[in-house]
Amino acid sequence: MNERVIALEEINPTDFFGAQNSTIEQLKKYFPKIKIVARGSQLKIYGAAALLDEFEIRLERLIKYYNRYNKLDENSIERILTSTGNEEKTTASKNIKDVLVHGVNGKLIKPQTLNQRKMVTLMGKNDMLFAVGPAGTGKTYTAVALAVKALKEKEVRKIILTRPAVESGENLGFLPGDLKEKLDPYMQPLYDALRDMIPHERLESYLEKGVIQIAPLAFMRGRTLDNAFVILDEAQNTTHNQMKMFLTRMGKSAKFIITGDPGQIDLPRKQISGLKESLLALKDIEGIAQVYLDDKDVVRHKLVKRILSAYKSIETE
């Protein structure tokens, strides 16, 4: 009798195996001649070599399904165990229209507005995209969803999320802790978006292994970013030199999204925003696209749209 050990990496075994090992029980019914033992995040299987090969193929399909949709239920397990690979691909293709990522707890992450859909379309045709607009328009969230989608589909090997560490009326130097502890709260919107889209165990593993990197813009200096989906958030707070440095980090098979709100610049008054400069300088370069989001794209509380409108009226007086 042959024995194999299969390690489930970056997967919560409790979720994958199901309540009272329901997934294992379904596998046992489908493979009655194989002995299956679950221990922590490992599966031990015993049986004839040909049966073990078939088992691993079916298990790999289950894992792919779980990684795509972040869940497994009895019906989907049954369908995957009894269908051909082609049938599974056809079913998946019917379910992914407009959906960028199947998030945590079955949340469907998709563009909500016309300009968010423009972001998706333009990113499919270009390697660099500037997404500019006021707070609450979903530009960062959509950008992160595009990055997670590219990682899941193996279009890139890593995601890099960065922000210029400019203090919006607050002093980071007086916060307790080391550099990471000081900066984590500043990077929180990026963490929040990722937690919506990637299960906790997998996200922690990605962060630990450097598959997902979140760092201040200064940490990009000297690097060449190959095979990566890179997002520069809050780009209105970059200087000329910072923006030029960042844009020239682009390596082979890389995708860049730059997001920002020119109405929320926290730089010293005499300092010109690197975002504003780059929008003018790069507007006619092939392979670089720009999309402008506005009040119609606000997807936060309905009051946010009214607040933005009220501030716009006093700031233009």
Side-chain angles (χ1 to χ4, degrees), residues 117-130 146 229-230 250 254-258 287 289:
R117 285 191 284 276
K118 272 188 188 176
M119 283 182 65
V120 176
T121 301
L122 288 171
M123 201 65 238
K125 298 176 181 177
N126 299 274
D127 288 333
M128 185 179 290
L129 172 67
F130 286 83
L146 284 164
F229 201 115
V230 188
M250 194 173 200
K255 292 273 193 180
F256 274 36
I257 295 185
I258 299 94

Side-chain angles (χ1 to χ4, degrees), residues 26-41:
Q26 279 187 268
L27 284 166
K28 286 178 178 177
K29 287 178 184 177
Y30 191 80
F31 292 97
K33 294 182 180 179
I34 291 179
K35 182 180 179 182
I36 305 168
V37 180
R39 289 284 183 273
S41 60

Side-chain angles (χ1 to χ4, degrees), residues 262-286:
Q264 288 190 341
I265 296 173
D266 298 315
L267 292 167
R269 285 193 176 184
K270 293 183 180 179
Q271 193 110 48
I272 297 172
S273 167
L275 175 63
K276 287 187 173 181
E277 277 188 331
S278 59
L279 288 169
L280 289 171
L282 307 178
K283 61 183 172 64
D284 296 322
I285 294 182
E286 187 178 349

Side-chain angles (χ1 to χ4, degrees), residues 193-204:
L194 288 169
R195 288 189 186 107
D196 266 4
M197 302 174 199
I198 303 174
H200 177 74
E201 287 78 7
R202 202 179 313 153
L203 177 56
E204 291 300 312

Side-chain angles (χ1 to χ4, degrees), residues 238-249 274 278:
T238 58
T239 64
H240 165 89
N241 287 337
Q242 285 175 326
M243 179 62 84
K244 183 180 177 183
M245 177 274 291
F246 172 77
L247 295 176
T248 54
R249 299 307 92 200
S278 59

